[in-house]
Amino acid sequence: MAGPRLAASFRGPSAPVVSVVLGLAVVASSVGGGLGADSSAPFPWDRVRLPEHVVPLHYHLLIHPNLTTQTFSGTAAIDLTVTRQTSAVILHSKRLRVAWAAIGAQEARVLEHRALEQVALLATEPLQAGHNYTVTIQYAANLSDSFHGFYKSTYRTQEGELRVLAATQFEPTFARMAFPCFDEPAFKARFSVKIRREPKHLALSNMPLMKTVNINSWLVEDHFDTSVKMSTYLVAFIVSDFKSISKISSHGVKISVYTVPEKIHQADYALDAAVKLLDFYEDYFSISYPLPKQDLAAIPDFQSGAMENWGLTTYRESALLYDPEKSSASSRLWITMIIAHELAHQWFGNLVTMEWWNDLWLNEGFAKFMEFVSVNVTHPELKVEDYFLTRCFDAMEVDALNSSHPVSTPVEDPAQILEMFDDVSYEKGSCILNMLRDYLTDNGFKAGLVQYLQKYSYQNTKNEDLWDSMTNICPTVGSDKSEQQGDGFCRRNQQSSSNAHWTKGETLDVRAMMNTWTLQKGFPLVTVTVRGKNVHLQQEHYMKGADSHPSTGYLWHIPLTYITSKSDTVRRFLMTTKTDVIILPEEVEWIKFNVYMNGYYIVHYEDDGWDHLINLLKENHTAISNNDRASLINNIFQLVRIKKMPISKAFDLTLYLKRETQIMPVLQGMNELIPIYKLMEKRDMEDTEKQLKEYIVNLFKDLIDKQLWSDDGSVSERMLRQSLLLFACMRRYQPCVDKAEEYFLKWQKSNGTLSLPADVKTAVYAVGAQTSEGWDFLLSKYRQHSFSIDKSKIELALSLTRNKDKLQWLLDQGLRGDIIKTQDLPYIIVYVARNPSGYHLAWTFLKENWEKVVEKFELGSHSIATIVTGVTNQYSTRPQLAQVKEFFGSLEEKSAQLRCIHQAIETIEDNIQWMDRNFEDIKTWLQKNHL
C-alpha cells in the first residue's frame, strides 16, 4: 500500500473480549424452525489469531454485486486440509450475513463472534487429521460505505450523471468483509474467482478473464483464471464501466491502465512508466513476473495512495492520472514513485510475504526503498536520489518520540495492525535499507535480495530470514581484497582501500547489526569531539523530552561515514560500542559525518566543531554536497530540541541560505523555519512572528526573484519553483502577489480557458482565493470536469482563505462527500488547521465528528493519524494541551489508546518546552540580524 505518514503505542487488549455469539443457524428445508437455537452455544475459540490446524488450499468464489441496491451476495467454497482432529472450522467474517453453510456434504451450524470478526462452522462429526474437506458458505452483505472491504465508489460524467462502481481494498484485514476466509497473511492459497454482472459493466480481478457465460438476458458471469498461491489481502475485484489502454512489456506481460471513460486520455504516462518499471524489476530480481497481466486501475474513491493487489494494482486518481499539458512536475514524480512502489510489491510482499503484520516493514520499507533504486534507472531525469533524505527526516520526526515503536513490533488486533502503516514501517524501513546498501555495496546488497526472494518465493518470512540471506554475501569492490570465510561470513582485509570499504577486519554480521535498527525504537545521536588527530565518538539514544524519560541501554551498530577538509574521499568506520576513537592521518579544519545522509543517525560536533562547519557554509557552501548541507540544517535544529545547541547558533547557520540555490537545502531550511512561526501564529506573538516571516522571505528573496513563471527547467527546478512561489505569495511578498494576481485575473477573464503554467498554478490559485469573488470562481472551476487534474491544488487554495464561513463549508462538504470527495477530507482538515483563521474550526470539527470520521476511515488508519497529528502538532500552550488531553481522554479506551494520540500529546508537550526555552532568544537574534 502506498501513501501513509504517521506513527503509534499500545497496552495489550484490555479485558478479555466479551463473546458475542450469534447463532446464524442452518435452515434445513425440513426444519423450518430451529433458528436462534444456537445463540446459547459457546463460541469454540477465544483468540484474535485463527487456529493453525485448519489450512486453506483453494478458494472458489462466486460474487454477485448489485450496483443498484448496493448489496452483494456470494458463495465461497474453500478446499482445506486438517492437520489435527477438530470439530469446528474457524474463519474470518465481518458484516456478512451467512445464510447457509456446509462441511463436505453435511450442513453445519454457524456461530458468529462479532468482536473477533470470526465465524465457526460446527461439524456434525469430527474432521480427521490428514484429510481434505470442502467448506461451502452462502452469504449476503451490503457494499461498504467506507473505503475498505468490497465498497462502492461513484463519479459524475461530464453531463452530471452519477455512476456507481464497486471496488475492493482488503489490506490489512478487510477481505473478511467480502467473503469468509482465513484472513491472515500466512494462510496462502489459490483463488478461482467468478463474478456476476450486468452486460453493460466490466469485471476485473487478479487474473485474466477465461470465459463469460450468459446467465440470462440481464446477467452474465465472468470466470477468471486460477491465481498463484497468495495471501487473502491481495485478492481484488472491480465491477465498473472503465475503459483501458494496453501495451505488452518486453518480457511479454500485458500491462493495462483502467480509468473512468472520460479520463482515459490521462493514462498514457502511467502505462509507459509501468512497462519500464516492470521490465526493470524482472531484470533486477532475476525472477520473472509470474502472472500473464498487470492492470493498474484508477478508483474515484480511494483512501490511501495505492494498493498492490497481485495483477490488479489500484490507485487514487491523482496517483495514476497525468496530463502532460496540465500536470505539475511534482505530480509526475509522485505518480512514477507510486507505480514503482506497487510494482516492487509484486515481488516484495506478494511473492514473498511477511509471516505476520509485526514485520510489515519487510513489505513496505522495501517497496519504499525500491522506488528509488528503480526510478533512478528507468527515469533518470527525475533525479529521485535527491529526495531520499527528506523521508529519513520525516521518519525521525516521529521516531524521536517516546511513543515511537521498533520497526518490527508485536501487533494483534485490526486497529493495531492498521497503525503499523506509518512512517516507521515505510520511511524508516527504507532508510535503514539504504544504509545497509551503502554498507554492503550495491552488488552485495542486490545479491542478498535476490537470494532472499528466490529462496522464499510463495512463502512467508520473518525479519531474520532477510538478514540471513544478506549475511553470506561477500561483495568484492575495487582493490578491496575480501575473502569468504569458512563460517559463511565475509571478512575484509584491514588494509582495504578506505573508500572501498569498512575498516576493522571483523566479521560482517548483518543480523547483529540490523537487529539494532529493527528491534529497538528510535535512532542514535553520535557526538564527535576532535582532539588533534584523534576523533572521539560517543553514541546515545536521541529522544525529544528525554528529561521525563531518560533512556539507557540503547546501542546501535552504526556504519559511520565521514569526509574532512583535507580529503573528500569517503572514509568508513563501523561503530559497535558506546564510545570509540578514530585516528586521522593529519589534523583537519572540519569533519563532516554521515556523508550524503546515507545513515539513519544525527551528529553533534562538540566544542568548535559546529563553528567550523557554519563557517564552511558561509565561505564555500558547495565544498560539500546538497544532501550534506540539508543534513547539517536538519541536525542543528534537532540538537536545539534536546538542548545540545542554542537556537541562536542554528539561526546563525541559516544565514548562508541567502546564497543557496539547490532544492534540498532550500526546502530543509523552510521545513525548519516555517514551523517556528506556525507555532507563533497560534499564540499572541505577532511582532516576533512578523519579524521571523520577514527574515525567511529575505533569506530566499534573491532566489524567489530569479524564478521563471513558466514550466521550463529540470524536475527539481520546477518543484522548487512551485514551493518558493507559493511560500512568497502566502507571505505577501509583493512582487510575487502582483504577478499572481495578474495571472489570476487574466485566467478568470478567460473563464478558466487560459492555460496557466502547471508549476505556478498553486501560487496563482492561492492568491486568487484571498478574495470572496476569486474563491467562488475557483470553487465553480473545481466542480468542472476539465479541472479534475487541478483538484488538489484548488483544495489547498480554497483552504487558505481567511473567511471562517468558507473554511467551515469546506470541512462540512468534505464530510458530506458530494462536491468534495471524502477521500480528501483528511487533507482539508489539516489545511484548515494550519490556517491561523481556521485552527479553532478544525479542532471543533474533529471533536464533533470523531465518530463519523472513525467510521469512514477506520480506527488506527493512517488517515486518522494524519488528522489527529495535523490538527494538533502546532499547539504549544498549556490550555491547548489540556483541551487535547481532555477530549481524547473522554473517548472509549480503544480510541484513547491510539498511538497517534500519544504522539500528539508528546508533540505538544515538546512544543511548549521548546517555546518556553527559545522564544526570547529568537526575538533577540532577529533584532540583531536584520537581513
Side-chain angles (χ1 to χ4, degrees), residues 136-255:
T136 309
I137 303 170
Q138 286 182 0
Y139 61 96
N142 298 333
L143 286 175
S144 166
D145 269 334
S146 61
F147 300 97
H148 27 257
F150 192 19
Y151 71 95
K152 74 158 194 204
S153 170
T154 58
Y155 72 94
R156 286 193 187 278
T157 63
Q158 259 156 343
E159 288 69 51
E161 179 200 344
L162 191 72
R163 298 228 174 132
V164 180
L165 60 129
T168 58
Q169 168 64 42
F170 293 161
E171 190 181 27
T173 59
F174 304 116
R176 62 191 69 170
M177 291 174 73
F179 55 94
C181 56
F182 297 79
D183 203 7
E184 295 180 10
F187 287 119
K188 289 192 170 184
R190 293 176 178 273
F191 294 83
S192 299
V193 177
K194 296 178 183 174
I195 295 180
R196 291 192 174 174
R197 59 172 173 89
E198 292 178 56
K200 67 173 182 183
H201 286 132
L202 160 89
L204 296 170
S205 187
N206 306 78
M207 298 300 290
L209 179 66
M210 295 307 286
K211 65 172 182 184
T212 300
V213 182
N214 289 325
I215 304 291
N216 54 39
S217 61
W218 44 267
L219 199 62
V220 296
E221 186 174 283
D222 288 333
H223 296 212
F224 295 91
D225 206 351
T226 299
S227 74
V228 294
K229 204 173 155 193
M230 66 184 196
S231 304
T232 47
Y233 77 86
L234 293 169
V235 175
F237 30 88
I238 301 171
V239 176
S240 70
D241 62 347
F242 287 177
K243 294 272 179 281
S244 67
I245 55 171
S246 308
K247 279 188 176 172
I248 306 287
S249 76
S250 58
H251 293 266
V253 180
K254 182 181 181 183
I255 302 180

Side-chain angles (χ1 to χ4, degrees), residues 173-406:
T173 59
F174 304 116
R176 62 191 69 170
M177 291 174 73
F179 55 94
C181 56
F182 297 79
D183 203 7
E184 295 180 10
F187 287 119
K188 289 192 170 184
R190 293 176 178 273
F191 294 83
S192 299
V193 177
K194 296 178 183 174
I195 295 180
R196 291 192 174 174
R197 59 172 173 89
E198 292 178 56
K200 67 173 182 183
H201 286 132
L202 160 89
L204 296 170
S205 187
N206 306 78
M207 298 300 290
L209 179 66
M210 295 307 286
K211 65 172 182 184
T212 300
V213 182
N214 289 325
I215 304 291
N216 54 39
S217 61
W218 44 267
L219 199 62
V220 296
E221 186 174 283
D222 288 333
H223 296 212
F224 295 91
D225 206 351
T226 299
S227 74
V228 294
K229 204 173 155 193
M230 66 184 196
S231 304
T232 47
Y233 77 86
L234 293 169
V235 175
F237 30 88
I238 301 171
V239 176
S240 70
D241 62 347
F242 287 177
K243 294 272 179 281
S244 67
I245 55 171
S246 308
K247 279 188 176 172
I248 306 287
S249 76
S250 58
H251 293 266
V253 180
K254 182 181 181 183
I255 302 180
S256 311
V257 177
Y258 285 84
T259 77
V260 303
E262 288 160 2
K263 296 184 182 176
I264 195 67
H265 65 283
Q266 298 169 8
D268 295 296
Y269 180 80
L271 182 60
D272 291 341
V275 170
K276 279 185 187 163
L277 285 158
L278 201 72
D279 279 337
F280 169 84
Y281 286 133
E282 291 200 70
D283 294 336
Y284 185 90
F285 296 134
S286 313
I287 298 174
S288 296
Y289 173 71
L291 309 186
K293 61 97 173 171
Q294 169 65 245
D295 297 334
L296 297 81
I299 314 293
D301 298 276
F302 202 84
Q303 186 169 343
S304 66
M307 177 61 209
E308 68 267 21
N309 318 302
W310 214 344
L312 174 54
T313 52
T314 49
Y315 303 76
R316 67 163 53 204
E317 290 184 333
S318 60
L320 196 66
L321 305 183
Y322 181 83
D323 184 328
E325 301 294 306
K326 297 178 181 173
S327 296
S328 60
S330 53
S331 160
R332 184 161 102 212
L333 178 69
W334 140 257
I335 289 168
T336 316
M337 297 296 262
I338 286 209
I339 295 171
H341 181 101
E342 302 316 328
L343 295 185
H345 271 312
Q346 308 299 300
W347 285 265
F348 278 102
N350 301 10
L351 183 66
V352 179
T353 312
M354 73 266 137
E355 196 164 294
W356 180 244
W357 301 105
N358 60 312
D359 281 328
L360 172 70
W361 86 276
L362 286 174
N363 277 15
E364 297 301 350
F366 254 108
K368 209 74 185 140
F369 169 73
M370 288 306 300
E371 294 172 17
F372 280 85
V373 176
S374 59
V375 175
N376 199 358
V377 173
T378 59
H379 297 75
E381 74 287 355
L382 293 177
K383 292 223 174 1
V384 287
E385 60 282 2
D386 289 356
Y387 310 108
F388 194 87
L389 76 170
T390 30
R391 63 175 47 173
C392 305
F393 297 149
D394 286 346
M396 286 173 162
E397 187 73 22
V398 290
D399 205 18
L401 297 169
N402 188 40
S403 54
S404 185
H405 62 92

Side-chain angles (χ1 to χ4, degrees), residues 339-578:
I339 295 171
H341 181 101
E342 302 316 328
L343 295 185
H345 271 312
Q346 308 299 300
W347 285 265
F348 278 102
N350 301 10
L351 183 66
V352 179
T353 312
M354 73 266 137
E355 196 164 294
W356 180 244
W357 301 105
N358 60 312
D359 281 328
L360 172 70
W361 86 276
L362 286 174
N363 277 15
E364 297 301 350
F366 254 108
K368 209 74 185 140
F369 169 73
M370 288 306 300
E371 294 172 17
F372 280 85
V373 176
S374 59
V375 175
N376 199 358
V377 173
T378 59
H379 297 75
E381 74 287 355
L382 293 177
K383 292 223 174 1
V384 287
E385 60 282 2
D386 289 356
Y387 310 108
F388 194 87
L389 76 170
T390 30
R391 63 175 47 173
C392 305
F393 297 149
D394 286 346
M396 286 173 162
E397 187 73 22
V398 290
D399 205 18
L401 297 169
N402 188 40
S403 54
S404 185
H405 62 92
V407 165
S408 181
T409 206
V411 286
E412 277 286 299
D413 67 47
Q416 292 172 338
I417 292 168
L418 265 179
E419 286 193 299
M420 289 298 284
F421 291 79
D422 70 357
D423 274 5
V424 173
S425 297
Y426 284 68
E427 265 74 9
K428 180 178 181 176
S430 66
C431 293
I432 61 177
L433 287 169
N434 186 50
M435 177 167 69
L436 180 61
R437 177 179 66 156
D438 189 49
Y439 174 69
L440 290 178
T441 74
D442 284 356
N443 291 343
F445 181 78
K446 178 176 169 179
L449 288 196
V450 170
Q451 186 172 307
Y452 167 78
L453 287 171
Q454 288 176 341
K455 182 174 179 184
Y456 296 107
S457 289
Y458 304 104
Q459 296 175 58
N460 295 79
T461 55
K462 297 195 276 294
N463 225 345
E464 50 266 30
D465 298 324
L466 176 63
W467 309 140
D468 293 347
S469 299
M470 294 280 178
T471 293
N472 301 330
I473 301 302
C474 193
T476 50
V477 186
S479 58
D480 186 5
K481 302 184 194 63
S482 301
E483 33 181 323
Q484 187 80 35
Q485 298 295 314
D487 60 7
F489 286 102
C490 189
R491 295 221 174 96
R492 304 186 181 282
N493 263 352
Q494 195 111 36
Q495 296 79 37
S496 67
S497 67
S498 57
N499 65 337
H501 241 84
W502 302 89
T503 47
K504 294 188 172 180
E506 292 172 5
T507 300
L508 275 188
D509 186 347
V510 174
R511 187 200 277 213
M513 170 177 151
M514 293 311 288
N515 278 346
T516 70
W517 296 96
T518 57
L519 302 181
Q520 53 188 2
K521 69 181 178 189
F523 54 91
L525 161 65
V526 176
T527 300
V528 176
T529 317
V530 180
R531 296 268 180 275
K533 288 196 277 191
N534 292 3
V535 180
H536 296 262
L537 304 168
Q538 183 188 338
Q539 61 160 298
E540 63 193 281
H541 181 188
Y542 175 97
M543 196 154 78
K544 294 180 191 171
D547 314 347
S548 39
H549 14 250
S551 66
T552 47
Y554 280 76
L555 186 72
W556 283 267
H557 291 190
I558 314 173
L560 297 172
T561 54
Y562 62 95
I563 50 175
T564 67
S565 52
K566 294 281 168 69
S567 162
D568 55 9
T569 301
V570 180
R571 309 274 161 174
R572 300 167 183 276
F573 181 81
L574 184 65
M575 182 178 186
T576 56
T577 49
K578 194 92 181 142

